[in-house]
Amino acid sequence: MPAYILYRQILRQQQLASPRMLLRMAYVQEGLGHYPMALYYLSMAQARQPRVSTWRKMATIARDNRLTGYPETWRQDLVLTFRRYYYLGLQVLLIGAVVGGTLLLLRRNRLSRGWWTAYGAYLLFAGAYLNLLGNERAALVAHPHAALMSGPSAGATWLTTAAAGDRLVVQGKQDTWYRVQWQGRDAYIRVQDLLLVQ
């Protein structure tokens, strides 16, 4: 427990945490029965270093506590494996773009138009990789009985009540509401009811 207090101080003061430290904090919180905070720390560790084993632990806690947003499918495992190597792939693509562009500029008089077309296609692929395949912005419901609404207003139609620890994908923010993905559609939840995974 003293180590947890020290870890929490480091996290609050410096916003600096290794995945290993976050996993330890999650273990302590799970031992104390604070499963929403255990899931929050596991989510932070997952965001820093995506691993199938961490996701499976999150899914187990979620299943035991009847929470939503933690699918256990082969597709999820594939996505996690891809995300684990996302930044390495992005670095390779960007280095290739710089090297390819430099070579094309140095030999611009000797190369045919086909090389420039191929380079343009490569840049489009790199842009799609960067924008379409990036990490999703996840958040956890912070309070029990948080209302999910059809619009960013207390007067909007009530959709459901989320439990503390439910995982939602954030699509955007409007005033004091986050727009989230819920069962394949947009829903809104108050800002104070959601913990963004950093």
Side-chain angles (χ1 to χ4, degrees), residues 138-155:
L140 273 65
V141 176
H143 302 111
H145 312 296
L148 285 175
M149 310 297 282
S150 62
S153 161

Side-chain angles (χ1 to χ4, degrees), residues 21-33:
M21 184 177 103
L22 292 166
L23 292 173
R24 289 178 181 165
M25 293 173 77
Y27 177 76
V28 170
Q29 289 298 311
E30 183 185 11
L32 294 172

Side-chain angles (χ1 to χ4, degrees), residues 25-62:
M25 293 173 77
Y27 177 76
V28 170
Q29 289 298 311
E30 183 185 11
L32 294 172
H34 302 153
Y35 65 87
M37 284 309 294
L39 285 169
Y40 179 66
Y41 292 131
L42 285 168
S43 297
M44 289 176 65
Q46 183 72 2
R48 285 166 171 75
Q49 191 175 55
R51 292 188 180 273
V52 172
S53 60
T54 305
W55 181 263
R56 288 189 178 146
K57 179 62 177 174
M58 292 166 60
T60 300
I61 293 172

Side-chain angles (χ1 to χ4, degrees), residues 82 85-101 118-119 121-133:
F82 171 78
Y85 299 106
Y86 171 77
Y87 290 109
L88 178 62
L90 183 60
Q91 288 174 347
V92 169
L93 284 173
L94 293 176
I95 289 169
V98 170
V99 170
Y119 182 69
Y122 180 85
L123 290 179
L124 285 174
F125 174 76
Y129 183 92
L130 176 65
N131 291 315
L132 301 177
L133 304 175

